[in-house]
Amino acid sequence: MADSSAFGGFPHWGVTFYQELEDTNTKEFWAQHKAQWERDVREPMLALADALEDEFGPARLFRPNRDIRFSHDKSPYKTHQGAFVGVATGIGYYVQVSGDGLAVGGGFRAHSPAETGRYRAAVDIPASGARLEQVATELTTAGFALEGEALKTRPKGFAADHPRLELLRRKEMMAIQRVGTPSWLTTPQAVDHVRAEWRRVRPLVEWMTEHVHE
């Protein structure tokens, strides 16, 4: 693992680059800026992952290319660079840099109906459901947004007056803190801020690991 001191922050160039990529998402534009993307986006993200690995585990950086095989949007590149520490399938900690700046969080992305089924079964149980409700409330109070695919109506098999119906509608749950571009983003202190936010979402990750992971 690389020396964590190698992380010096995220240069603001990366934010500007992704803002421009949203308007000019072409292979030509990417090729013109690839070398600086490697230096000012990918390498800082790798260094950040190295700095946090001892506490959270190894991270995987997502590829910059979009999978456009089944998409109407044929834009070739993602307009963000993300990294994910997988505790279990679809469960873990996330960080990304985009045109909006930094976003940090964690939780659970569903990869199968069976995972969503285990999630809803645990929400339905009074003890585990109440614990998730508490964790979710604490995170939203701290400024996190609860994101992920959800039903507009109640899922089959659950009463319309279920006390945790909003949680049951969810197929997955990620808690994301959209930090933006604070002054510390370009400094080594950014790693401390990401660490603090990942510690905040740890109870959610632990709940998902216990109840959703098979």
Side-chain angles (χ1 to χ4, degrees):
M1 184 176 69
D3 183 355
S4 63
S5 65
F7 178 75
F10 288 105
H12 191 73
W13 181 89
V15 175
T16 302
F17 166 73
Y18 281 118
Q19 290 171 348
E20 295 176 354
L21 184 64
E22 290 175 5
D23 296 326
T24 314
N25 199 326
T26 65
K27 292 182 179 180
E28 292 76 16
F29 180 83
W30 183 270
Q32 291 171 6
H33 297 88
K34 183 178 179 181
Q36 191 165 0
W37 172 82
E38 290 274 0
R39 183 173 66 250
D40 287 353
V41 176
R42 187 174 185 275
E43 290 179 7
M45 188 65 80
L46 285 169
L48 175 73
D50 282 347
L52 295 167
E53 183 172 343
D54 284 348
E55 180 172 351
F56 296 96
R60 175 174 67 90
L61 268 63
F62 292 99
R63 291 167 51 89
N65 306 75
R66 295 181 63 249
D67 185 352
I68 61 175
R69 291 173 298 172
F70 308 107
S71 175
H72 292 296
D73 179 4
K74 299 302 181 182
S75 302
Y77 300 103
K78 299 172 185 174
T79 54
H80 60 272
Q81 175 61 60
F84 185 72
V85 176
V87 177
T89 301
I91 301 171
Y93 303 91
Y94 182 71
V95 59
Q96 77 170 32
V97 172
S98 71
D100 294 324
L102 187 71
V104 190
F108 153 62
R109 289 287 190 195
H111 288 71
S112 71
E115 292 169 346
T116 297
R118 290 192 292 272
Y119 161 79
R120 287 178 175 154
V123 171
D124 187 39
I125 295 171
S128 54
R131 173 56 182 157
L132 179 60
E133 194 170 39
Q134 177 188 5
V135 169
T137 298
E138 290 171 353
L139 286 169
T140 55
T141 300
F144 286 82
L146 300 182
E147 302 182 2
E149 189 176 356
L151 298 174
K152 293 182 178 179
T153 59
R154 66 182 174 90
K156 294 180 180 179
F158 297 98
D161 61 349
H162 194 289
R164 292 176 295 281
L165 186 59
E166 290 303 313
L167 291 176
L168 286 170
R169 286 194 177 113
R170 296 183 175 276
K171 296 182 178 181
E172 57 190 8
M173 184 190 294
M174 289 288 289
I176 302 294
Q177 183 82 271
R178 300 194 178 278
V179 181
T181 55
S183 59
W184 49 257
L185 183 62
T186 59
T187 75
Q189 284 69 49
V191 69
D192 298 320
H193 290 273
V194 174
R195 180 184 290 110
E197 301 300 348
W198 279 5
R199 286 174 176 173
R200 284 180 185 267
V201 300
R202 181 177 277 145
L204 178 63
V205 172
E206 290 177 343
W207 190 96
M208 296 299 177
T209 304
E210 179 179 357
H211 298 289
V212 177
H213 178 55
E214 190 173 32

